[in-house]
Amino acid sequence: MPAADPKFLKYVDEHEDAFIARLKEAVEIPSVSGNIEYVKDVENMADWLVAQLTDLGVKAEKRGIGKHVLDGKEVDLPPVVIGSIGNDPAKKTVLVYGHYDVQPALKEDGWDYEPFTLTPDPKTGRLYGRGSTDDKGPVMGWLNVLEAHKNLGLEMPVNLKMIFEGMEESGSVNLDKFIESEKDKFFAGLDCMCISDNYWLDTKTPCLTYGLRGVNYYEIKVSGPDRDLHSGVFGGTIHEPMTDLIILMSKLVSPTGEILIPGVKELIAPVTKDEQEKFEKIHFQMSDIQGAVGGDQTLTDDTVVTLMGRMRNPSLSLHGIEGAFSAPGSKTVIPCSVKGKFSIRTTPNLGVKNTTELVLKYLNDEFKKIGSKNRCEVSLGHGGEPWVTDPNHYNFRAAHKATVAVYGVEPDYTREGGSIPVTLDFANILGLNILLLPVGRGDDGAHSTNEKLDKSNYINGTKLLGSYLYELAAEKKD
Amino acid sequence: MPAADPKFLKYVDEHEDAFIARLKEAVEIPSVSGNIEYVKDVENMADWLVAQLTDLGVKAEKRGIGKHVLDGKEVDLPPVVIGSIGNDPAKKTVLVYGHYDVQPALKEDGWDYEPFTLTPDPKTGRLYGRGSTDDKGPVMGWLNVLEAHKNLGLEMPVNLKMIFEGMEESGSVNLDKFIESEKDKFFAGLDCMCISDNYWLDTKTPCLTYGLRGVNYYEIKVSGPDRDLHSGVFGGTIHEPMTDLIILMSKLVSPTGEILIPGVKELIAPVTKDEQEKFEKIHFQMSDIQGAVGGDQTLTDDTVVTLMGRMRNPSLSLHGIEGAFSAPGSKTVIPCSVKGKFSIRTTPNLGVKNTTELVLKYLNDEFKKIGSKNRCEVSLGHGGEPWVTDPNHYNFRAAHKATVAVYGVEPDYTREGGSIPVTLDFANILGLNILLLPVGRGDDGAHSTNEKLDKSNYINGTKLLGSYLYELAAEKKD
C-alpha cells in the first residue's frame, strides 16, 4: 500500500509536459564547470535554480565557496545552492544532493543532436541532451515534487534540505570545507540523506545503491640515465629503466585479475549471508557486460562472481606508462625515466593508508630483488576511501517501498565499482546514512555523446523521489 | 714509414683555410632531405658537388633514382652523385661512399650557433654547423684529397669511384635498386670500399669499424574489448589487455640485459682469440660510458664485457606502449587495445628470419600460458641484418697503417652497436670488403644540436683518407 498521496502521483502524470519543459530550460543553460568559457553560464544556472526554488516556496540561496584557477585564470568557484523547506520537529529531516553543472559537450564530438537543446525522440521516449540524466534530470525531479505539493496545497511529508553544487564534474573543490563549516548550521538536525546521481545497473531494473569502491592511483617512477639513449649505442650495456618498470608492473596483478600484493586479498571483508542474497537477487546477465565491453573478455561466466568483482572486491588495473615511446611507428629509444601508472579499486578494510603501505613495501622489496642501479620511487597520486552503508537502514527501507510502489518491482541492491567522492564527504563529516537513489538507466551515456534520460525514468523518477519522502515519513526509525 | 706522398701531406697542412672554406660552403646549403621545404636545397647541394668534382678532374654526374612522397607530396628523390677518376688496370679500384644530405636543424632547437653557417670556435678548434661531421666533413675530405693531387700534379695512387647520396638521413630510399642496377656498370671492377660516416668511440682514439649490429623492431598487440573502459566499472570483471601485455613484455629480457627468448643466446657466435684481443686493445674506460649516460647504470665494471655488450652481443630494449595512457597525470582507463614495442639488436648468426621465428614462437607460447580471452598478435615492424667483415683484410691493413702514419697511434678496432643500412646494401649486392673509416669524434653530436667537427679531425681526416689510398695501393692483396 503506497504511502504517497494519490493526488501527488496524479499531478505528476498530468504535468509531464510542464516537467519536460522545466528540464528543457535547465539543459539549455550550458553549465559546463570545467571550461573558462562557461563560467557565466554556470552562474546563470545557479541563479535559475535559486529562482525556481524560491518560486516553489523554498528558502533558497547561493553560497560562495572560494576561488580556483580554471584554464590558467583565477575565478570564483561555482556557488553552492542550498535550500530548505519545512521545519516541523515532528517530522524527519532529509538532505538531498544533486549537481547543476555538466560535462563539456560539442555537437562535433559526435552528437546526433544539439547537446544543449533537450531533444525528445517520440519513438523511443528518450530525452537527449547534456545533463539530461547527469544530473539535471534528478535535480528537476526534486523541483517537480515541490511544484506538485505547492500547487496541490499539500504539506511535504518531511522537512527537506537541499544542496546542489556546480562543481561536481570538476572535482567538487571546497565542497568538503563548506560541509564542515555548515555542519552545525545548515546541516544541523538531519536524519538521513539521499543522493540521486548514479544509474540503474541495467536498463530495466530500479536499484538502490549502498556502496562505492574507493580508488588509489599509484605511480612507479624508475629513472637512471640523465637523458634518453639510443638502443643501438647503449642497448646491452646498462640497466634500462623500462626493463625494471615492466618487471615491477608484471608483479601487481595476475591475468585473471588476482591482486598479487601480499596482504591485500587477506583484508577483503568476508561475504555476509545478507550480502550474498542481495547479490544473487540482482537482475544481471552475462550478456549485459559483454554488450557493454563489446566482446567476451569476462573472467568468469558466473553472474554473482562478476558482480562481486565489479562492486565488492578490489581490483587492480594497469593504465599506462609516461615517458616511454607511445606514438605509432617505431623509435629505438631507451627512455631514461618512466612512470608506470596503476590504480587499485578498494573495498571496505582496504583503506588508503593501509593499502598504500602494502603497495609501497611490496614494490620496494621487489625492486630490491631486481638488483638494478636505477632509482625507483613509488607514490600515491590520489586516494579515495571505499564507502559502504547499511542497506537495511530505514532510509533504504523507505526507498525500497517507494520503488515497489512506483515500479511494481523490488529494487536491486547494488554498489558502484567507481567512486562518487562527495558521498564520502557527507558520510564522514555528517555521519549520516546515505541512500544513492538513481533515476536514470545504465545506458544513459552520462559524460558521453548523446546523453539521454528516458521520459518514463524522468516521470517515474519524480514519483519515486516524492514517494520516497512519504515512505521515509512513515518508516519507523531503527 | 708512411706511404703517402709527403707533398700531399704538406699541401693539406698549408691549405687548412681553403679546406675550411670548402666545408663552410657545403654547410651553407641546407640540404635537409626529410622536409619538403628543402627539396631545392638538396638539389642545389648535388649540383654544387658535381661542379666541385668536375672542377677537380672527376667524371661526375647526378643520377635520378625515382620519386617518393615527402610531407604528402610526390617529389623526385634526391639524385645520387657518382664520379670516377682514374682507370689504370694496374691500380686497385676503390669505391668511397658519403652522403650530402643532413638532418633538420633550427636555431630555436637549442643551437648556440646558426646551424647552417659553419662557425669555428678559435679557442677549442671546433667547427660548428649542421652536417659538419655528418657527413659533409668526410665528403669534403675526399674533395680535399682530390684538390691536393690536382694542384700538385700528383697522380692518384688508386682508381677512385665515388658515390654520394642525398637521402641517407631519410632512409636511403631506392639506393639498393640503384646499386643493383649499376652492379655491372658503374660498380664493375671494384676491389674494396670505404665508408666514412661514423665516429671514433671516444674523443681521442682513431678507429676502424668492421661490424654493425642489425635491428629487428617488434610489436606485440593485445586487444579485447571494442572500446576503452572505465576501471571503476569494469576493473575486476574482464581480462585486461594491459595486464596480458605487461606480462609478455616482462618475459623478454632480464634486469641484467639477458635475452630470455629461448634459442637466441645459443646462436651468439663464440668469441675468437683475434676478436678478444681486438676488444681488449680498445681505448675505453668505464667513465666514458658513464659520462655519455649521465649516471652509473652500467651492467658491469668490466670494459671488455661492456664493449662486447654494445658491439658484438645482441641486446633487447623495451621502448614503450602505444594505446595505453601515456600523458602526465592520472586516467582510470582500461585501454582496449595496446601495442608493446621492443627491438632486438642482432649480431652474426641472428638473422632477421631465424630471430623472428624464435620471437614469434616464444611470445605466442607465453600468451597461451596466460589463458586470456584477449587476442595477441606479434609482428616484425622492420628488420635489418647484422654485418661484420674481415678486419684483417688488406683494406683494413691499409687504413691501419694510414692511421699510424697520420695519428702516430694504432687504431681501435670497433663495431657499431647501431645499424648503417647502406653498408649492408653495398656488402650484399657488391660482395666487397667494406672499411668504415670515421673522421669525427664520439662527441660530435651528429643529429643533435651544436653538431661539430674538430678542425684537427677535419685536417688530419683529410690526410688519413689520402694516406689510406696510398697504403691501399701499396698493400698486397690477400
Side-chain angles (χ1 to χ4, degrees):
Chain A
M1 177 128 92
D5 193 305
K7 291 200 288 285
F8 159 67
L9 299 171
K10 187 158 172 275
Y11 185 96
V12 175
D13 279 330
E14 288 171 354
H15 290 79
E16 275 186 20
D17 291 349
F19 292 166
I20 291 172
R22 171 175 282 129
L23 181 55
K24 188 172 164 63
E25 263 189 67
V27 166
E28 275 171 8
I29 306 172
S31 49
V32 177
S33 57
N35 186 320
I36 190 87
E37 286 174 37
Y38 295 94
V39 165
K40 190 77 200 110
D41 299 294
V42 176
E43 189 76 29
N44 287 347
M45 186 69 207
D47 290 332
W48 183 90
L49 254 188
V50 171
Q52 287 262 327
L53 289 167
T54 305
D55 194 43
L56 295 169
V58 176
K59 210 178 96 189
E61 59 178 317
K62 287 196 300 182
R63 293 285 285 272
I65 51 169
K67 289 174 176 293
H68 72 142
V69 176
L70 185 59
D71 296 335
K73 212 177 142 182
E74 196 185 59
V75 292
D76 286 333
L77 280 161
V80 163
V81 172
I82 55 172
S84 61
I85 182 166
N87 191 21
D88 183 344
K91 289 179 184 171
K92 294 197 185 74
T93 302
V94 59
L95 174 67
V96 306
Y97 163 95
H99 64 90
Y100 65 80
D101 64 321
V102 295
Q103 284 277 320
L106 295 169
K107 181 111 199 296
E108 48 267 41
D109 293 342
W111 283 73
D112 296 326
Y113 313 91
E114 282 301 332
F116 294 109
T117 302
L118 191 75
T119 310
D121 180 336
K123 271 189 222 155
T124 60
R126 290 174 167 181
L127 309 167
Y128 289 96
R130 174 57 87 225
S132 54
T133 194
D134 181 20
D135 187 37
K136 290 178 174 175
V139 171
M140 295 310 111
W142 293 116
L143 268 54
N144 297 341
V145 170
L146 291 166
E147 178 195 305
H149 284 76
K150 177 169 182 266
N151 289 352
L152 292 167
L154 283 175
E155 202 180 319
M156 290 285 282
V158 295
N159 303 316
L160 195 61
K161 295 204 180 192
M162 286 155 275
I163 173 162
F164 301 123
E165 70 157 323
M167 195 60 186
E168 199 273 346
E169 302 294 2
S170 304
S172 297
V173 179
N174 283 3
L175 187 70
D176 53 346
K177 286 178 196 151
F178 179 77
I179 302 169
E180 191 67 66
S181 69
E182 290 288 330
K183 185 180 173 181
D184 299 319
K185 293 182 259 180
F186 177 72
F187 296 113
L190 295 170
D191 290 295
C192 57
M193 178 172 187
C194 175
I195 296 179
S196 188
D197 189 23
N198 66 317
Y199 310 94
W200 297 352
L201 187 59
D202 64 10
T203 59
K204 292 184 283 292
T205 321
C207 68
L208 313 182
T209 304
Y210 64 101
L212 300 167
R213 293 200 291 189
V215 60
N216 296 348
Y217 206 97
Y218 297 99
E219 241 177 46
I220 310 171
K221 181 178 175 184
V222 182
S223 51
D226 74 353
R227 71 208 77 169
D228 284 356
L229 300 170
H230 188 284
S231 68
V233 181
F234 293 97
T237 65
I238 60 158
H239 290 277
E240 301 186 12
M242 267 295 274
T243 306
D244 299 347
L245 176 64
I246 293 286
I247 290 172
L248 292 178
M249 289 177 82
S250 78
K251 291 185 181 296
L252 292 168
V253 59
S254 83
T256 51
E258 190 189 349
I259 297 177
L260 302 176
I261 300 158
V264 168
K265 229 169 38 179
E266 292 76 359
L267 284 174
I268 303 172
V271 181
T272 65
K273 192 161 164 286
D274 180 57
E275 252 188 308
Q276 179 75 30
E277 283 170 8
K278 283 193 164 53
F279 271 99
E280 282 173 3
K281 277 189 191 163
I282 295 177
H283 293 77
F284 180 74
Q285 296 179 313
M286 291 310 292
S287 57
D288 293 339
I289 182 168
Q290 286 154 358
V293 163
D296 175 19
Q297 279 78 38
T298 53
L299 293 168
T300 167
D301 291 332
D302 187 307
T303 54
V304 172
V305 174
T306 298
L307 287 170
M308 288 199 177
R310 168 175 173 163
M311 297 176 180
R312 66 104 46 217
N313 291 328
S315 65
L316 191 155
S317 294
L318 305 170
H319 304 300
I321 298 173
E322 179 185 344
F325 178 57
S326 62
S330 60
K331 186 177 176 187
T332 54
V333 66
I334 298 175
C336 65
S337 179
V338 283
K339 289 181 188 169
K341 311 202 177 188
F342 70 97
S343 67
I344 304 181
R345 296 285 165 175
T346 55
T347 50
N349 299 341
L350 286 162
V352 174
K353 191 161 169 290
N354 60 347
T355 306
T356 300
E357 278 167 6
L358 293 171
V359 167
L360 296 188
K361 179 171 174 6
Y362 176 61
L363 284 174
N364 288 328
D365 285 353
E366 290 299 316
F367 183 69
K368 271 186 211 124
K369 285 186 201 163
I370 288 176
S372 170
K373 290 186 187 169
N374 291 313
R375 293 178 300 283
C376 177
E377 216 176 300
V378 185
S379 59
L380 172 72
H382 63 251
E385 301 287 350
W387 168 81
V388 70
T389 195
D390 174 11
N392 300 309
H393 188 274
Y394 67 82
N395 195 19
F396 279 81
R397 295 202 304 268
H400 187 113
K401 288 178 185 166
T403 304
V404 172
V406 172
Y407 284 102
V409 294
E410 301 222 329
D412 286 340
Y413 280 78
T414 67
R415 302 196 203 172
E416 288 282 335
S419 56
I420 306 181
V422 294
T423 311
L424 266 112
D425 292 332
F426 285 109
N428 292 340
I429 301 170
L430 303 181
L432 297 170
N433 177 283
I434 302 178
L435 160 74
L436 303 186
L437 182 59
V439 162
R441 300 182 186 184
D443 67 347
D444 278 357
H447 295 210
S448 186
T449 53
N450 296 330
E451 177 182 344
K452 59 90 180 166
L453 176 64
D454 290 80
K455 191 180 91 173
S456 63
N457 280 58
Y458 181 48
I459 298 305
N460 286 326
T462 295
K463 289 183 195 170
L464 177 69
L465 298 179
S467 298
Y468 155 69
L469 299 180
Y470 280 95
E471 299 289 355
L472 196 59
E475 200 65 28
K476 203 172 140 254
K477 282 199 196 182
D478 301 297
Chain B
M1 177 128 93
D5 194 307
K7 291 201 289 284
F8 159 68
L9 299 171
K10 187 158 174 277
Y11 184 96
V12 175
D13 279 331
E14 288 170 356
H15 290 79
E16 276 186 21
D17 291 349
F19 292 166
I20 291 170
R22 170 175 282 129
L23 181 56
K24 188 172 165 62
E25 263 189 64
V27 167
E28 276 171 6
I29 306 172
S31 49
V32 177
S33 56
N35 186 320
I36 190 85
E37 286 175 36
Y38 296 93
V39 164
K40 190 79 199 107
D41 299 293
V42 175
E43 189 76 29
N44 288 346
M45 185 69 205
D47 289 333
W48 182 90
L49 253 188
V50 170
Q52 287 262 327
L53 289 166
T54 306
D55 193 42
L56 295 169
V58 175
K59 211 178 93 189
E61 59 178 318
K62 288 195 301 185
R63 294 282 288 271
I65 52 168
K67 289 172 177 293
H68 71 140
V69 176
L70 184 59
D71 296 334
K73 211 176 140 185
E74 196 184 57
V75 292
D76 285 334
L77 281 160
V80 164
V81 171
I82 55 172
S84 61
I85 182 166
N87 190 22
D88 183 346
K91 290 178 182 169
K92 293 195 185 72
T93 302
V94 59
L95 174 67
V96 305
Y97 163 95
H99 64 90
Y100 64 80
D101 64 320
V102 296
Q103 283 277 321
L106 295 169
K107 182 112 197 300
E108 49 267 40
D109 292 342
W111 282 72
D112 296 324
Y113 314 91
E114 283 300 331
F116 295 108
T117 302
L118 191 75
T119 310
D121 179 335
K123 272 190 223 154
T124 60
R126 290 175 167 183
L127 309 168
Y128 290 95
R130 175 56 87 223
S132 55
T133 194
D134 181 20
D135 187 36
K136 290 178 175 176
V139 171
M140 294 310 110
W142 293 115
L143 267 54
N144 298 341
V145 171
L146 291 166
E147 178 194 304
H149 285 78
K150 179 168 179 266
N151 289 352
L152 293 166
L154 284 174
E155 203 182 317
M156 290 285 282
V158 295
N159 303 317
L160 195 61
K161 294 203 182 190
M162 286 154 273
I163 174 162
F164 301 124
E165 69 157 322
M167 193 63 186
E168 199 274 344
E169 301 295 1
S170 304
S172 297
V173 180
N174 282 4
L175 187 70
D176 53 346
K177 286 178 196 149
F178 179 76
I179 302 168
E180 191 67 66
S181 70
E182 289 289 329
K183 186 180 173 181
D184 300 319
K185 292 182 262 181
F186 177 72
F187 295 113
L190 296 169
D191 290 296
C192 57
M193 180 172 185
C194 174
I195 296 178
S196 189
D197 188 24
N198 65 316
Y199 310 94
W200 297 351
L201 186 60
D202 64 10
T203 59
K204 292 184 284 292
T205 321
C207 67
L208 314 182
T209 304
Y210 65 100
L212 301 167
R213 293 200 291 191
V215 59
N216 296 348
Y217 205 98
Y218 297 99
E219 239 176 48
I220 310 172
K221 181 180 176 185
V222 181
S223 51
D226 73 353
R227 70 207 77 167
D228 284 356
L229 300 170
H230 188 284
S231 69
V233 181
F234 294 98
T237 66
I238 60 158
H239 290 277
E240 301 186 12
M242 268 294 275
T243 306
D244 299 346
L245 176 65
I246 293 286
I247 290 173
L248 292 179
M249 288 177 83
S250 77
K251 291 184 181 295
L252 292 168
V253 60
S254 83
T256 51
E258 190 189 347
I259 298 177
L260 303 175
I261 301 157
V264 167
K265 229 170 35 180
E266 292 76 359
L267 284 175
I268 303 171
V271 182
T272 65
K273 192 161 164 287
D274 180 58
E275 252 188 308
Q276 179 74 31
E277 283 170 9
K278 283 192 163 54
F279 271 98
E280 282 172 2
K281 278 189 191 162
I282 294 177
H283 293 78
F284 180 75
Q285 295 179 315
M286 291 310 292
S287 57
D288 294 339
I289 183 166
Q290 285 153 359
V293 163
D296 176 18
Q297 279 77 38
T298 53
L299 293 167
T300 167
D301 290 332
D302 186 307
T303 54
V304 172
V305 174
T306 298
L307 287 170
M308 287 198 178
R310 168 176 173 162
M311 298 176 178
R312 65 102 50 216
N313 291 328
S315 65
L316 191 154
S317 294
L318 305 171
H319 304 300
I321 297 173
E322 179 186 343
F325 179 57
S326 61
S330 60
K331 187 176 175 188
T332 53
V333 65
I334 299 174
C336 65
S337 178
V338 283
K339 288 181 189 170
K341 310 201 177 187
F342 70 98
S343 68
I344 304 180
R345 297 285 165 176
T346 55
T347 49
N349 299 341
L350 286 162
V352 174
K353 191 163 170 288
N354 61 345
T355 305
T356 300
E357 279 167 7
L358 293 171
V359 167
L360 296 189
K361 180 175 175 0
Y362 176 61
L363 284 173
N364 288 327
D365 286 353
E366 289 300 317
F367 183 69
K368 270 184 212 128
K369 284 187 202 163
I370 288 176
S372 169
K373 288 186 186 169
N374 291 314
R375 293 177 301 281
C376 176
E377 217 175 300
V378 185
S379 59
L380 172 72
H382 63 252
E385 301 288 350
W387 169 80
V388 69
T389 196
D390 174 13
N392 299 308
H393 188 274
Y394 67 83
N395 194 19
F396 278 80
R397 295 202 304 269
H400 186 115
K401 289 177 184 169
T403 304
V404 172
V406 171
Y407 284 101
V409 296
E410 302 222 330
D412 286 340
Y413 281 78
T414 67
R415 301 195 203 173
E416 289 282 337
S419 56
I420 308 181
V422 294
T423 311
L424 267 113
D425 291 333
F426 285 110
N428 292 340
I429 301 170
L430 303 180
L432 296 170
N433 178 281
I434 301 177
L435 160 74
L436 302 185
L437 182 60
V439 162
R441 300 182 186 183
D443 68 347
D444 280 357
H447 295 209
S448 185
T449 53
N450 296 332
E451 176 182 345
K452 59 89 180 167
L453 176 64
D454 290 80
K455 190 180 92 171
S456 64
N457 280 58
Y458 181 48
I459 299 305
N460 286 326
T462 296
K463 289 183 193 171
L464 177 69
L465 298 179
S467 298
Y468 155 69
L469 300 181
Y470 280 95
E471 299 290 355
L472 195 59
E475 201 63 31
K476 206 173 137 254
K477 282 199 196 180
D478 300 298

